[in-house]
Amino acid sequence: ASSRTLGYVYLDLEQRKGLFGSAEHMAGAMRLCSGHVYLSMNFRAASWGSMKLLNLEEVASLAHELGHAVHMLCYGGGGSPDFDDLPLDVVELPSTLAEVVAMHPAVISLYARHHASGGPPPDSLIKSCQHTVHFFVKYLQSMNVALGLHGDDFDPHSATPVQLQQKAVALWQQYSPVAAHPSFSPLGQDAGMFLALGANQIAYLLCHLRADAVLHARQDQRTARQQDFAQQWLRPEFAKSVRKQLLDRSFPAQQRRTSLLLSATDPAIRERGTALPRKAASLLDHPLPPLQPAATNLFSRLRMIT
């Protein structure tokens, strides 16, 4: 592995008060200039005179933002101005990979320490911190509602509030083992937030599907041990492969500018409901290959569980 320095990451862990005395910003990564990235985590500070340990959600957030930082330092040699023009599911993929690896039980045992003993946490404690299948089923229910209401089968402009409620419940019910109560609305839960986020939430879903495919491409999850995953992901060869195939890749800036120019000048693109011209469609090709069919098997497995 090369010992060349990629750049510098400036880590600001604690909340910063804004002009009116409150913490007004979200955690995030920002490029300052070529080779320099600022990370603001917005964690709650420890009380005066005491030490605070990171909880699991904070570790996941830190790993996620560090994934962004490494991507920013690698992409285009660390100084490309085109990074912000990348599709959202490309921007979020390295951070999602880092987050998923950091939260894997076999990896947690390598860096986490028990607050009392100072040694690795017991397996039972690590297991209690993992999301169960119920979490993912709930996520799938909410995502199915959001995607369904954004789909072609539902017209929000002509639907009544009652029809919106009925459609949302029907979509939620597809992944529920129990019937919904007559007063229940999934829009009062995560599904409402996902619906408001729209295409952004689809990008995050694609990132998790891609991360699952990348991390388990050569592993049989039914027979592999937890330690096998950690040994594979933490090898320099794996990091080198991820950097070559993802972090260092660039999406030609001229191609993006041309596609944006077309979308602004071509009436067929501006007009709602018409397909993109063939020339524009070729310019809007996604920089990553399409998901393989095996990556979508996650939905089938969750449907079988419910």
Side-chain angles (χ1 to χ4, degrees), residues 92-102 207 210-212 214-215 238 242 246:
E92 292 294 334
L93 182 53
S95 54
T96 301
L97 277 170
E99 177 186 342
V100 172
V101 170
C207 286
R210 288 188 185 276
D212 181 74
V214 169
L215 297 175
F238 183 81
V242 170
L246 176 62

Side-chain angles (χ1 to χ4, degrees), residues 16-276:
R16 297 290 179 184
K17 291 186 177 181
L19 180 63
F20 300 104
S22 60
E24 299 173 343
H25 63 275
M26 299 288 289
M30 293 169 281
R31 289 183 304 139
L32 301 177
C33 60
S34 177
H36 298 264
V37 177
Y38 169 75
L39 291 188
S40 173
M41 298 311 306
N42 209 27
F43 292 161
R44 187 177 298 278
S47 57
W48 181 260
S50 63
M51 185 188 336
K52 177 180 179 294
L53 302 178
L54 296 180
N55 59 42
L56 195 68
E57 289 75 17
E58 290 172 334
V59 171
S61 179
L62 180 58
H64 185 98
E65 298 305 333
L66 285 172
H68 280 307
V70 173
H71 192 194
M72 291 175 177
L73 293 175
C74 289
Y75 183 81
S80 174
D82 306 316
F83 183 87
D84 295 333
D85 293 332
L86 289 171
L88 184 59
D89 57 322
V90 177
V91 172
E92 292 294 334
L93 182 53
S95 54
T96 301
L97 277 170
E99 177 186 342
V100 172
V101 170
M103 291 296 98
H104 193 275
V107 178
I108 289 178
S109 63
L110 298 178
Y111 66 81
R113 291 297 176 263
H114 194 273
H115 71 96
S117 68
D123 292 341
S124 58
L125 181 58
I126 294 178
K127 185 176 180 180
S128 69
C129 296
Q130 302 298 305
H131 291 309
T132 66
V133 68
H134 302 289
F135 168 87
F136 293 103
V137 169
K138 183 178 179 182
Y139 178 81
L140 188 57
Q141 290 169 337
S142 298
M143 181 59 70
N144 196 48
V145 172
L147 294 181
L149 292 178
H150 276 296
D152 295 333
D153 294 336
F154 182 76
D155 183 7
H157 302 289
S158 61
T160 66
V162 173
Q163 290 172 330
L164 173 65
Q165 164 72 358
Q166 291 174 343
K167 182 64 174 180
V169 172
L171 291 166
W172 179 89
Q173 195 73 68
Q174 290 180 7
Y175 290 97
S176 174
V178 298
H181 189 273
S183 64
F184 170 72
S185 174
L187 298 180
Q189 300 182 340
D190 288 342
M193 178 182 67
F194 293 168
L195 180 64
L197 290 173
N200 284 1
Q201 197 60 35
I202 299 175
Y204 289 111
L205 175 61
L206 290 174
C207 286
H208 280 281
L209 290 174
R210 288 188 185 276
D212 181 74
V214 169
L215 297 175
H216 300 101
R218 298 181 180 180
Q219 292 278 9
D220 187 342
Q221 298 188 57
R222 296 169 299 179
T223 59
R225 301 176 304 163
Q226 298 282 7
Q227 292 78 6
D228 295 336
F229 293 111
Q231 291 175 3
Q232 175 186 347
W233 300 336
L234 300 180
R235 285 204 304 261
E237 295 80 9
F238 183 81
K240 183 178 180 180
S241 177
V242 170
R243 181 174 179 183
K244 178 181 179 181
Q245 298 182 51
L246 176 62
L247 301 180
D248 287 340
R249 290 188 59 183
S250 61
F251 189 32
Q254 184 59 42
Q255 181 172 327
R256 282 196 303 278
R257 287 196 207 75
T258 305
S259 64
L260 291 173
L261 179 62
L262 279 170
S263 64
T265 59
D266 196 313
I269 300 179
R270 293 201 309 267
E271 184 179 352
R272 183 181 178 186
T274 58
L276 290 172

